[in-house]
PDB file of all heavy atoms in Angstrom:
ATOM      1  N   LYS B 156     -24.222   7.319  31.918  1.00  0.00           N
ATOM      2  CA  LYS B 156     -24.958   6.822  33.073  1.00  0.00           C
ATOM      3  C   LYS B 156     -25.240   8.034  33.951  1.00  0.00           C
ATOM      4  O   LYS B 156     -24.431   8.403  34.805  1.00  0.00           O
ATOM      5  CB  LYS B 156     -24.143   5.757  33.799  1.00  0.00           C
ATOM      6  CG  LYS B 156     -23.935   4.504  32.942  1.00  0.00           C
ATOM      7  CD  LYS B 156     -23.494   3.302  33.766  1.00  0.00           C
ATOM      8  CE  LYS B 156     -22.023   3.319  34.045  1.00  0.00           C
ATOM      9  NZ  LYS B 156     -21.519   2.069  34.647  1.00  0.00           N
ATOM     10  N   ALA B 157     -26.391   8.654  33.705  1.00  0.00           N
ATOM     11  CA  ALA B 157     -26.684   9.961  34.311  1.00  0.00           C
ATOM     12  C   ALA B 157     -26.691   9.893  35.830  1.00  0.00           C
ATOM     13  O   ALA B 157     -26.352  10.876  36.502  1.00  0.00           O
ATOM     14  CB  ALA B 157     -28.028  10.484  33.786  1.00  0.00           C
ATOM     15  N   PHE B 158     -27.026   8.712  36.352  1.00  0.00           N
ATOM     16  CA  PHE B 158     -27.151   8.583  37.810  1.00  0.00           C
ATOM     17  C   PHE B 158     -25.798   8.584  38.521  1.00  0.00           C
ATOM     18  O   PHE B 158     -25.736   8.588  39.748  1.00  0.00           O
ATOM     19  CB  PHE B 158     -27.934   7.311  38.166  1.00  0.00           C
ATOM     20  CG  PHE B 158     -27.374   6.063  37.536  1.00  0.00           C
ATOM     21  CD1 PHE B 158     -26.404   5.324  38.182  1.00  0.00           C
ATOM     22  CD2 PHE B 158     -27.800   5.655  36.273  1.00  0.00           C
ATOM     23  CE1 PHE B 158     -25.878   4.186  37.599  1.00  0.00           C
ATOM     24  CE2 PHE B 158     -27.279   4.520  35.674  1.00  0.00           C
ATOM     25  CZ  PHE B 158     -26.313   3.779  36.337  1.00  0.00           C
ATOM     26  N   GLU B 159     -24.695   8.602  37.771  1.00  0.00           N
ATOM     27  CA  GLU B 159     -23.373   8.667  38.410  1.00  0.00           C
ATOM     28  C   GLU B 159     -22.819  10.090  38.476  1.00  0.00           C
ATOM     29  O   GLU B 159     -21.722  10.307  38.989  1.00  0.00           O
ATOM     30  CB  GLU B 159     -22.399   7.706  37.720  1.00  0.00           C
ATOM     31  CG  GLU B 159     -22.817   6.241  37.907  1.00  0.00           C
ATOM     32  CD  GLU B 159     -21.704   5.239  37.641  1.00  0.00           C
ATOM     33  OE1 GLU B 159     -20.522   5.600  37.758  1.00  0.00           O
ATOM     34  OE2 GLU B 159     -22.030   4.082  37.300  1.00  0.00           O
ATOM     35  N   GLY B 160     -23.554  11.030  37.900  1.00  0.00           N
ATOM     36  CA  GLY B 160     -23.256  12.437  38.152  1.00  0.00           C
ATOM     37  C   GLY B 160     -22.105  13.051  37.382  1.00  0.00           C
ATOM     38  O   GLY B 160     -21.671  14.160  37.686  1.00  0.00           O
ATOM     39  N   GLY B 161     -21.592  12.369  36.373  1.00  0.00           N
ATOM     40  CA  GLY B 161     -20.438  12.881  35.635  1.00  0.00           C
ATOM     41  C   GLY B 161     -20.676  14.214  34.951  1.00  0.00           C
ATOM     42  O   GLY B 161     -19.767  15.048  34.876  1.00  0.00           O
ATOM     43  N   ARG B 162     -21.898  14.440  34.480  1.00  0.00           N
ATOM     44  CA  ARG B 162     -22.185  15.685  33.767  1.00  0.00           C
ATOM     45  C   ARG B 162     -21.971  16.889  34.677  1.00  0.00           C
ATOM     46  O   ARG B 162     -21.455  17.929  34.242  1.00  0.00           O
ATOM     47  CB  ARG B 162     -23.612  15.642  33.205  1.00  0.00           C
ATOM     48  CG  ARG B 162     -23.914  16.687  32.161  1.00  0.00           C
ATOM     49  CD  ARG B 162     -25.311  16.485  31.564  1.00  0.00           C
ATOM     50  NE  ARG B 162     -25.357  15.455  30.547  1.00  0.00           N
ATOM     51  CZ  ARG B 162     -25.373  15.696  29.237  1.00  0.00           C
ATOM     52  NH1 ARG B 162     -25.333  16.958  28.789  1.00  0.00           N
ATOM     53  NH2 ARG B 162     -25.415  14.709  28.372  1.00  0.00           N
ATOM     54  N   GLY B 163     -22.330  16.742  35.935  1.00  0.00           N
ATOM     55  CA  GLY B 163     -22.117  17.818  36.901  1.00  0.00           C
ATOM     56  C   GLY B 163     -20.630  18.057  37.162  1.00  0.00           C
ATOM     57  O   GLY B 163     -20.186  19.193  37.293  1.00  0.00           O
ATOM     58  N   VAL B 164     -19.879  16.961  37.210  1.00  0.00           N
ATOM     59  CA  VAL B 164     -18.437  17.055  37.431  1.00  0.00           C
ATOM     60  C   VAL B 164     -17.757  17.809  36.286  1.00  0.00           C
ATOM     61  O   VAL B 164     -16.809  18.565  36.494  1.00  0.00           O
ATOM     62  CB  VAL B 164     -17.835  15.632  37.576  1.00  0.00           C
ATOM     63  CG1 VAL B 164     -16.317  15.646  37.516  1.00  0.00           C
ATOM     64  CG2 VAL B 164     -18.313  14.984  38.876  1.00  0.00           C
ATOM     65  N   LEU B 165     -18.272  17.599  35.062  1.00  0.00           N
ATOM     66  CA  LEU B 165     -17.645  18.193  33.879  1.00  0.00           C
ATOM     67  C   LEU B 165     -18.176  19.596  33.565  1.00  0.00           C
ATOM     68  O   LEU B 165     -17.582  20.314  32.750  1.00  0.00           O
ATOM     69  CB  LEU B 165     -17.861  17.278  32.662  1.00  0.00           C
ATOM     70  CG  LEU B 165     -17.298  15.856  32.806  1.00  0.00           C
ATOM     71  CD1 LEU B 165     -17.669  15.016  31.584  1.00  0.00           C
ATOM     72  CD2 LEU B 165     -15.780  15.888  32.975  1.00  0.00           C
ATOM     73  N   ALA B 166     -19.274  19.971  34.194  1.00  0.00           N
ATOM     74  CA  ALA B 166     -19.907  21.260  33.895  1.00  0.00           C
ATOM     75  C   ALA B 166     -18.941  22.449  33.986  1.00  0.00           C
ATOM     76  O   ALA B 166     -18.992  23.353  33.142  1.00  0.00           O
ATOM     77  CB  ALA B 166     -21.126  21.477  34.797  1.00  0.00           C
ATOM     78  N   PRO B 167     -18.044  22.478  35.011  1.00  0.00           N
ATOM     79  CA  PRO B 167     -17.125  23.623  35.114  1.00  0.00           C
ATOM     80  C   PRO B 167     -16.234  23.811  33.888  1.00  0.00           C
ATOM     81  O   PRO B 167     -15.666  24.889  33.705  1.00  0.00           O
ATOM     82  CB  PRO B 167     -16.281  23.278  36.353  1.00  0.00           C
ATOM     83  CG  PRO B 167     -17.155  22.393  37.173  1.00  0.00           C
ATOM     84  CD  PRO B 167     -17.933  21.574  36.177  1.00  0.00           C
ATOM     85  N   LEU B 168     -16.089  22.777  33.048  1.00  0.00           N
ATOM     86  CA  LEU B 168     -15.281  22.937  31.834  1.00  0.00           C
ATOM     87  C   LEU B 168     -15.959  23.895  30.852  1.00  0.00           C
ATOM     88  O   LEU B 168     -15.305  24.450  29.973  1.00  0.00           O
ATOM     89  CB  LEU B 168     -15.037  21.577  31.165  1.00  0.00           C
ATOM     90  CG  LEU B 168     -14.206  20.558  31.967  1.00  0.00           C
ATOM     91  CD1 LEU B 168     -14.186  19.209  31.251  1.00  0.00           C
ATOM     92  CD2 LEU B 168     -12.777  21.063  32.164  1.00  0.00           C
ATOM     93  N   GLY B 169     -17.271  24.043  30.992  1.00  0.00           N
ATOM     94  CA  GLY B 169     -17.994  25.010  30.171  1.00  0.00           C
ATOM     95  C   GLY B 169     -18.051  24.669  28.697  1.00  0.00           C
ATOM     96  O   GLY B 169     -18.039  25.574  27.845  1.00  0.00           O
ATOM     97  N   VAL B 170     -18.078  23.381  28.377  1.00  0.00           N
ATOM     98  CA  VAL B 170     -18.153  22.971  26.957  1.00  0.00           C
ATOM     99  C   VAL B 170     -19.393  22.101  26.749  1.00  0.00           C
ATOM    100  O   VAL B 170     -19.914  21.510  27.706  1.00  0.00           O
ATOM    101  CB  VAL B 170     -16.894  22.188  26.521  1.00  0.00           C
ATOM    102  CG1 VAL B 170     -15.653  23.063  26.669  1.00  0.00           C
ATOM    103  CG2 VAL B 170     -16.739  20.887  27.291  1.00  0.00           C
ATOM    104  N   PRO B 171     -19.880  22.021  25.511  1.00  0.00           N
ATOM    105  CA  PRO B 171     -21.043  21.162  25.248  1.00  0.00           C
ATOM    106  C   PRO B 171     -20.722  19.695  25.536  1.00  0.00           C
ATOM    107  O   PRO B 171     -19.619  19.220  25.251  1.00  0.00           O
ATOM    108  CB  PRO B 171     -21.317  21.363  23.751  1.00  0.00           C
ATOM    109  CG  PRO B 171     -20.439  22.458  23.285  1.00  0.00           C
ATOM    110  CD  PRO B 171     -19.391  22.710  24.316  1.00  0.00           C
ATOM    111  N   ILE B 172     -21.680  19.009  26.128  1.00  0.00           N
ATOM    112  CA  ILE B 172     -21.556  17.582  26.415  1.00  0.00           C
ATOM    113  C   ILE B 172     -22.694  16.864  25.696  1.00  0.00           C
ATOM    114  O   ILE B 172     -23.859  17.206  25.878  1.00  0.00           O
ATOM    115  CB  ILE B 172     -21.652  17.297  27.936  1.00  0.00           C
ATOM    116  CG1 ILE B 172     -20.552  18.060  28.685  1.00  0.00           C
ATOM    117  CG2 ILE B 172     -21.562  15.797  28.213  1.00  0.00           C
ATOM    118  CD1 ILE B 172     -20.681  17.986  30.205  1.00  0.00           C
ATOM    119  N   GLU B 173     -22.344  15.896  24.852  1.00  0.00           N
ATOM    120  CA  GLU B 173     -23.363  15.161  24.112  1.00  0.00           C
ATOM    121  C   GLU B 173     -23.233  13.673  24.408  1.00  0.00           C
ATOM    122  O   GLU B 173     -22.132  13.120  24.364  1.00  0.00           O
ATOM    123  CB  GLU B 173     -23.192  15.381  22.601  1.00  0.00           C
ATOM    124  CG  GLU B 173     -23.461  16.803  22.144  1.00  0.00           C
ATOM    125  CD  GLU B 173     -24.955  17.108  22.031  1.00  0.00           C
ATOM    126  OE1 GLU B 173     -25.758  16.151  22.047  1.00  0.00           O
ATOM    127  OE2 GLU B 173     -25.301  18.301  21.922  1.00  0.00           O
ATOM    128  N   ALA B 174     -24.361  13.027  24.692  1.00  0.00           N
ATOM    129  CA  ALA B 174     -24.401  11.588  24.877  1.00  0.00           C
ATOM    130  C   ALA B 174     -25.434  11.015  23.914  1.00  0.00           C
ATOM    131  O   ALA B 174     -26.518  11.576  23.752  1.00  0.00           O
ATOM    132  CB  ALA B 174     -24.778  11.240  26.311  1.00  0.00           C
ATOM    133  N   LEU B 175     -25.080   9.905  23.261  1.00  0.00           N
ATOM    134  CA  LEU B 175     -25.994   9.341  22.259  1.00  0.00           C
ATOM    135  C   LEU B 175     -27.101   8.526  22.901  1.00  0.00           C
ATOM    136  O   LEU B 175     -28.152   8.317  22.287  1.00  0.00           O
ATOM    137  CB  LEU B 175     -25.205   8.483  21.264  1.00  0.00           C
ATOM    138  CG  LEU B 175     -24.102   9.235  20.510  1.00  0.00           C
ATOM    139  CD1 LEU B 175     -23.401   8.307  19.530  1.00  0.00           C
ATOM    140  CD2 LEU B 175     -24.680  10.454  19.782  1.00  0.00           C
ATOM    141  N   ALA B 176     -26.857   8.045  24.114  1.00  0.00           N
ATOM    142  CA  ALA B 176     -27.902   7.368  24.886  1.00  0.00           C
ATOM    143  C   ALA B 176     -27.670   7.716  26.339  1.00  0.00           C
ATOM    144  O   ALA B 176     -26.527   7.712  26.800  1.00  0.00           O
ATOM    145  CB  ALA B 176     -27.848   5.863  24.679  1.00  0.00           C
ATOM    146  N   ILE B 177     -28.726   8.053  27.043  1.00  0.00           N
ATOM    147  CA  ILE B 177     -28.614   8.447  28.454  1.00  0.00           C
ATOM    148  C   ILE B 177     -29.427   7.485  29.306  1.00  0.00           C
ATOM    149  O   ILE B 177     -30.640   7.347  29.117  1.00  0.00           O
ATOM    150  CB  ILE B 177     -29.106   9.899  28.662  1.00  0.00           C
ATOM    151  CG1 ILE B 177     -28.263  10.862  27.812  1.00  0.00           C
ATOM    152  CG2 ILE B 177     -29.040  10.285  30.149  1.00  0.00           C
ATOM    153  CD1 ILE B 177     -28.725  12.313  27.870  1.00  0.00           C
ATOM    154  N   ILE B 178     -28.720   6.813  30.218  1.00  0.00           N
ATOM    155  CA  ILE B 178     -29.378   5.894  31.131  1.00  0.00           C
ATOM    156  C   ILE B 178     -29.646   6.627  32.429  1.00  0.00           C
ATOM    157  O   ILE B 178     -28.733   7.182  33.040  1.00  0.00           O
ATOM    158  CB  ILE B 178     -28.501   4.647  31.376  1.00  0.00           C
ATOM    159  CG1 ILE B 178     -28.297   3.914  30.053  1.00  0.00           C
ATOM    160  CG2 ILE B 178     -29.157   3.723  32.406  1.00  0.00           C
ATOM    161  CD1 ILE B 178     -27.325   2.757  30.147  1.00  0.00           C
ATOM    162  N   THR B 179     -30.899   6.655  32.823  1.00  0.00           N
ATOM    163  CA  THR B 179     -31.270   7.428  34.011  1.00  0.00           C
ATOM    164  C   THR B 179     -31.363   6.561  35.257  1.00  0.00           C
ATOM    165  O   THR B 179     -31.256   7.062  36.372  1.00  0.00           O
ATOM    166  CB  THR B 179     -32.627   8.136  33.802  1.00  0.00           C
ATOM    167  OG1 THR B 179     -33.594   7.151  33.405  1.00  0.00           O
ATOM    168  CG2 THR B 179     -32.511   9.196  32.714  1.00  0.00           C
ATOM    169  N   ASP B 180     -31.555   5.263  35.064  1.00  0.00           N
ATOM    170  CA  ASP B 180     -31.760   4.426  36.256  1.00  0.00           C
ATOM    171  C   ASP B 180     -31.385   2.979  35.947  1.00  0.00           C
ATOM    172  O   ASP B 180     -31.821   2.405  34.939  1.00  0.00           O
ATOM    173  CB  ASP B 180     -33.224   4.504  36.704  1.00  0.00           C
ATOM    174  CG  ASP B 180     -33.451   3.787  38.036  1.00  0.00           C
ATOM    175  OD1 ASP B 180     -32.465   3.482  38.727  1.00  0.00           O
ATOM    176  OD2 ASP B 180     -34.629   3.567  38.378  1.00  0.00           O
ATOM    177  N   MET B 181     -30.555   2.408  36.804  1.00  0.00           N
ATOM    178  CA  MET B 181     -30.260   0.982  36.741  1.00  0.00           C
ATOM    179  C   MET B 181     -30.394   0.370  38.138  1.00  0.00           C
ATOM    180  O   MET B 181     -29.841  -0.706  38.409  1.00  0.00           O
ATOM    181  CB  MET B 181     -28.825   0.763  36.235  1.00  0.00           C
ATOM    182  CG  MET B 181     -28.638   1.099  34.747  1.00  0.00           C
ATOM    183  SD  MET B 181     -26.904   0.904  34.202  1.00  0.00           S
ATOM    184  CE  MET B 181     -26.579  -0.820  34.612  1.00  0.00           C
ATOM    185  N   SER B 182     -31.103   1.059  39.029  1.00  0.00           N
ATOM    186  CA  SER B 182     -31.167   0.604  40.420  1.00  0.00           C
ATOM    187  C   SER B 182     -32.004  -0.666  40.560  1.00  0.00           C
ATOM    188  O   SER B 182     -31.797  -1.439  41.491  1.00  0.00           O
ATOM    189  CB  SER B 182     -31.733   1.722  41.311  1.00  0.00           C
ATOM    190  OG  SER B 182     -33.055   2.037  40.915  1.00  0.00           O
ATOM    191  N   GLY B 183     -32.934  -0.890  39.655  1.00  0.00           N
ATOM    192  CA  GLY B 183     -33.684  -2.150  39.673  1.00  0.00           C
ATOM    193  C   GLY B 183     -33.011  -3.152  38.755  1.00  0.00           C
ATOM    194  O   GLY B 183     -31.802  -3.142  38.588  1.00  0.00           O
TER     195      GLY B 183
END
Side-chain angles (χ1 to χ4, degrees):
Chain B
K156 295 197 278 189
F158 53 89
E159 295 198 24
R162 195 175 280 259
V164 168
L165 301 176
L168 296 173
V170 299
I172 301 172
E173 293 281 346
L175 301 181
I177 300 176
I178 298 174
T179 54
D180 187 15
M181 289 177 57
S182 62

